[in-house]
Amino acid sequence: MQRSAVVVVADKTSLKRPFIFVNSVHMALCFFMLTMAIAWHRDPIQTGKIVSSVSVMAMLSVIGVIGACRGKRWCLILYASGMAIASQTIIVRTALSYQDVYEKRVAREEAKLLSMMPLSGISKANRTLLYRIQEEFECCGLIEGYKDWGASIPASCNCQYPGKCIRLRGSATLGAPKNQYVYQEPCLPIYVSELKRAFSLVMAIQFGSGVFWMVLLVMSIKLIGQIRRKQEFLALLQSNRYVPGAF
């Protein structure tokens, strides 16, 4: 009975395969984020920061997998140290900066749209941007709907959904076809609402990443303990202090 108990303790590295699997998934996510960062971010400085951070996390996972496969505790200790720093940093930073960054970014985007008023004198670049917003969010104008465009309502305001449309009867607006249907809702409140939702999602993903890294940290610490116990048992066998079959 004692012999069986010792063998079970020595061979118990039950976290090895789950640890390797979870870190493999983490590496795949890191490579996906790298691809998205390079493909979609236009700011070289911001892209460089993202690539650098994600590359470090991917490298930590590689080190962790090597440590788990080969039973190298120093690899897992290095992995655990990196995960501890990364998880604590992102959780604290997200919690402390959420409100400030949230309010500043939303206020900046809102002020950017309001600076386009009146729309009759809007620049070409801003006109293209607003056309895209109107088509994507199915709205028209910024504050008072189609009235913001004055005498010239763009085609991006044209509406084909009865629940979202308003009909311009006769010549209520110069340049508008008779009985034209346009989106009723202005874009500013809709765009700001979607911006808040997207920003909250990004912050939630960051916080969730920190929690996920904490889980990996705990798994690595437990795996280090399991590997240490196995190595101690093997050392015990080699020192002839324990002889198989003695019990």
Side-chain angles (χ1 to χ4, degrees):
M1 181 64 68
Q2 293 179 1
R3 176 188 176 187
S4 299
V6 173
V7 173
V8 169
V9 171
D11 290 338
K12 186 178 179 182
T13 54
S14 58
L15 278 177
K16 179 178 178 179
R17 289 184 179 179
F19 182 80
I20 294 174
F21 172 77
V22 174
N23 274 279
S24 299
V25 173
H26 182 243
M27 283 188 285
L29 290 175
C30 287
F31 288 126
F32 175 76
M33 292 175 64
L34 284 173
T35 303
M36 291 297 99
I38 296 174
W40 294 102
H41 283 79
R42 305 302 182 189
D43 185 355
I45 297 178
Q46 185 68 17
T47 301
K49 291 180 179 179
I50 295 174
V51 170
S52 177
S53 300
V54 176
S55 298
V56 170
M57 299 312 299
M59 184 59 64
L60 281 175
S61 284
V62 172
I63 294 174
V65 170
I66 293 174
C69 291
R70 298 188 177 182
K72 301 293 185 180
R73 283 195 294 164
W74 68 267
C75 287
L76 292 172
I77 292 173
L78 179 60
Y79 171 89
S81 301
M83 283 298 176
I85 296 173
S87 60
Q88 294 295 326
T89 299
I90 195 169
I91 289 175
V92 173
R93 186 176 62 186
T94 301
L96 294 179
S97 65
Y98 175 80
Q99 192 65 28
D100 182 56
V101 176
Y102 175 83
E103 292 178 352
K104 286 183 178 179
R105 289 190 179 181
V106 171
R108 183 168 63 246
E109 290 297 323
E110 186 174 6
K112 178 182 177 180
L113 290 181
L114 288 174
S115 67
M116 298 180 185
M117 296 292 293
L119 299 184
S120 57
I122 192 172
S123 66
K124 182 178 180 180
N126 288 338
R127 184 184 297 272
T128 301
L129 172 62
L130 192 51
Y131 285 177
R132 183 175 58 81
I133 292 175
Q134 290 178 154
E135 292 175 351
E136 181 176 353
F137 296 105
E138 299 178 349
C139 53
C140 185
L142 288 175
I143 302 174
E144 298 185 58
Y146 70 91
K147 296 179 182 179
D148 291 337
W149 287 104
S152 179
I153 300 178
S156 57
C157 282
N158 293 343
C159 177
Q160 299 178 353
Y161 307 98
K164 298 183 178 182
C165 301
I166 184 172
R167 185 170 63 176
L168 304 180
R169 300 180 182 276
S171 57
T173 302
L174 295 176
K178 185 177 181 180
N179 295 328
Q180 178 184 7
Y181 286 90
V182 297
Y183 291 117
Q184 183 176 4
E185 296 295 327
C187 291
L188 184 61
I190 297 175
Y191 182 76
V192 170
S193 176
E194 290 296 325
L195 183 65
K196 290 179 178 179
R197 184 179 294 109
F199 182 78
S200 298
L201 178 61
V202 170
M203 299 299 282
I205 292 174
Q206 290 183 1
F207 188 83
S209 298
V211 174
F212 178 60
W213 293 339
M214 286 288 291
V215 173
L216 292 176
L217 169 62
V218 173
M219 291 179 67
S220 65
I221 293 174
K222 289 187 175 182
L223 186 57
I224 290 172
Q226 292 179 358
I227 293 174
R228 178 181 59 82
R229 287 193 295 271
K230 184 173 182 179
Q231 290 175 344
E232 288 176 351
F233 175 76
L234 294 176
L236 180 64
L237 288 179
Q238 292 175 357
S239 65
N240 294 323
R241 294 180 182 177
Y242 171 76
V243 180
F247 295 96

